[in-house]
Amino acid sequence: MHINFIDLKAQYLTIKDEIDQAIRAVIEKSAFAAGPFVKSFEEKFAERHQAEYCVGVNSGTAALHIAMWALGFGPGDEVIVPANTFFATAEAVSLCGSTPVFVDCEPFYFNINPQKIEEAITSKTRAIIPVHLYGQSAQMDEIQSIAAKHRLVIIEDCAQAHLTEYKGKKVGSFGSCGCFSFYPGKNLGAYGEGGAVLTNDESFYKKMMALRDHGSAQKYYHDYIGHNYRMEGMQGAVLEVKLKYLEEWTMKRRQNADLYRKYLRGIKQVEVPQEMPDGRHVYHLFVVKVGRRDELINYLKEEGIAAGIHYPVPCHLQKAYAHLPLRTPLVISEKLAHDILSLPMYAELSEEEIRYVCEKIKTFYQSN
Ligand SMILES: *Cc1c(COP(=O)(O)O)cnc(C)c1O
């Protein structure tokens, strides 16, 4: 059996007619750059996440960058980010000329550890970017109270957290804004690149709308230096079709997580992910902690199973950040990078395939 890490083709085949029609409509209307298809998607995406406004952009990195840019972050400002995240979280801080300050994650859910945030705060700290990593919310109550105490802005990195919930509420508006990615492999993926920022603040929204389009609200009149961060019309149309199925796909991911738990039970070398009692995990990734990780990943590959590592190198150990001094120890993030393994996870994965993956894992530990 061959099992992909993710299968975008299988998903496409379930909604092919609608997608083909949506793409054709964009071509018929020649609405390629931003325009009506993007606007329609923005409205629906905001509504789905219980937010007022949505700015569609052309990547998750652009979403993070435009949010911090609109907030006026610049050189000398410090922004707290988890060490265990995709590089873009920190990169967006650096794109504003500001300095990312890395904080360790907690050992159970792998998100930023609220208890370690305060030691990293100085008079220069302006913001915290909690990442809802792997699809599970960060501990927002604790983060909100630290932010209030130190007057810090919260920017949520929701790139892996479409329809994730914390205490019954969708993520994306616990802080000033929520930044999403529609990279093809994300839970809601475009047919190309895409991203969005959600916010409830009208003036912040208007500023971001201008920045994504060369600092202009009216064509050829430029109030600021901006960029071209517009979402493509085609992506808006595709995403609007896919958004209708997102809840169904999310339920399937959650069911698949339960099946993994069932079939991995009893393998003592494997620790399955834990769910926070007051959140809703959407399983962008199913990340287990395992013994002899590198040997296992090679074994699975030989057996036709594609597994991944998210992420093999924490941000502070990347060459690009070698110049930054560490403010606090990041031991859990470093240890995790060594032990974690992401198993195949997508809505179309069958029970038979999940059982096969788990049986191979069992065999590996029994025979080695
Ligand atoms: C994917 C991702 C991003 C960046 O999104 P792109 O659309 O690839 O630019 C940022 N943060 C996290 C946590 C991500 O997973």
Side-chain angles (χ1 to χ4, degrees):
M1 206 181 308
H2 185 84
I3 302 177
N4 294 323
F5 186 66
I6 177 174
D7 192 344
L8 298 176
K9 181 77 183 285
Q11 187 192 58
Y12 169 62
L13 293 176
T14 66
I15 51 172
K16 185 176 184 308
D17 290 346
E18 268 184 286
I19 290 282
D20 293 355
Q21 212 173 347
I23 290 175
R24 220 163 24 234
V26 176
I27 300 171
E28 296 284 350
K29 274 207 156 158
S30 304
F32 297 115
F37 295 96
V38 170
K39 187 163 191 300
S40 175
F41 168 69
E42 286 170 335
E43 284 166 11
K44 296 202 165 61
F45 191 70
E47 195 188 312
R48 204 66 195 75
H49 283 84
Q50 302 156 320
E52 287 288 321
Y53 305 102
C54 175
V55 182
V57 293
N58 50 20
S59 73
T61 309
L64 287 162
H65 184 211
I66 215 168
M68 281 182 264
W69 194 358
L71 289 163
F73 292 6
D77 294 330
E78 291 181 357
V79 177
I80 290 180
V81 298
N84 180 32
T85 180
F86 179 58
F87 187 70
T89 313
E91 190 179 35
V93 174
S94 302
L95 284 172
C96 291
S98 307
T99 306
V101 174
F102 299 109
V103 166
D104 211 3
C105 56
E106 37 76 20
F108 305 110
Y109 312 118
F110 311 150
N111 273 314
I112 192 166
N113 188 342
Q115 276 151 25
K116 305 282 178 189
I117 292 176
E118 282 194 293
E119 317 164 26
I121 293 174
T122 69
S123 59
K124 293 177 175 172
T125 310
R126 293 268 321 262
I128 306 174
I129 310 184
V131 180
H132 308 304
L133 200 68
Y134 308 146
Q136 173 146 260
S137 171
Q139 294 173 35
M140 294 312 296
D141 273 356
E142 290 81 351
I143 293 169
Q144 280 178 317
S145 60
I146 295 165
K149 182 172 157 197
H150 297 273
R151 294 166 187 266
L152 306 176
V153 173
I154 296 173
I155 296 160
E156 297 173 67
D157 184 333
C158 306
Q160 304 186 359
H162 315 76
L163 301 186
T164 294
E165 288 175 20
Y166 179 73
K167 301 204 165 162
K169 192 178 151 215
K170 299 274 187 305
V171 296
S173 41
F174 284 95
S176 296
C177 62
C179 301
F180 290 78
S181 164
F182 306 121
Y183 178 78
K186 298 292 161 79
N187 284 25
L188 180 60
Y191 283 4
E193 305 276 351
V197 188
L198 296 181
T199 183
N200 291 327
D201 178 333
E202 190 183 0
S203 64
F204 182 31
Y205 162 71
K206 286 186 170 158
K207 182 88 191 260
M208 288 189 283
M209 285 295 273
L211 287 177
R212 85 164 181 191
D213 198 8
H214 307 289
S216 80
Q218 190 189 346
K219 201 163 184 166
Y220 304 129
Y221 293 84
H222 305 272
D223 300 331
Y224 324 102
I225 302 297
H227 207 303
N228 174 2
Y229 276 169
R230 293 182 302 257
M231 177 182 274
E232 291 185 356
M234 202 92 90
Q235 306 313 334
V238 166
L239 289 167
E240 186 170 337
V241 170
K242 292 180 73 173
L243 182 60
K244 288 191 292 182
Y245 299 95
L246 185 58
E247 176 57 29
E248 189 187 319
W249 291 334
T250 303
M251 302 279 279
K252 291 243 183 73
R253 283 176 183 269
R254 290 184 48 77
Q255 285 165 9
N256 287 345
D258 286 342
L259 289 171
Y260 268 124
R261 284 204 176 83
K262 178 174 150 192
Y263 292 118
L264 288 172
R265 198 167 297 145
I267 310 178
K268 64 177 194 311
Q269 295 89 341
V270 178
E271 234 176 85
V272 294
Q274 296 186 44
E275 285 191 18
M276 280 202 296
D278 44 9
R280 185 208 197 208
H281 199 321
V282 300
Y283 292 99
H284 170 56
L285 295 168
F286 189 84
V287 177
V288 292
K289 262 171 76 177
V290 296
R292 293 157 56 210
R293 194 263 318 268
D294 293 338
E295 279 173 70
L296 175 61
I297 205 167
N298 286 332
Y299 172 81
L300 292 175
K301 199 171 164 188
E302 282 164 20
E303 297 292 330
I305 298 164
I309 304 171
H310 301 87
Y311 294 90
V313 182
C315 290
H316 65 288
L317 298 179
Q318 297 288 348
K319 216 191 251 177
Y321 286 128
H323 62 287
L324 286 184
L326 284 195
R327 190 158 298 158
T328 60
L330 301 167
V331 285
I332 308 255
S333 302
E334 288 175 18
K335 174 96 178 63
L336 267 187
H338 196 258
D339 296 337
I340 48 178
L341 180 71
S342 310
L343 297 177
M345 172 55 87
Y346 44 95
E348 297 76 18
L349 201 61
S350 69
E351 175 160 2
E352 195 195 344
E353 289 170 319
I354 292 170
R355 202 168 45 202
Y356 178 78
V357 173
C358 299
E359 269 161 18
K360 289 296 169 192
I361 294 174
K362 200 175 284 177
T363 308
F364 170 78
Y365 287 115
Q366 278 168 355
S367 56
N368 285 269

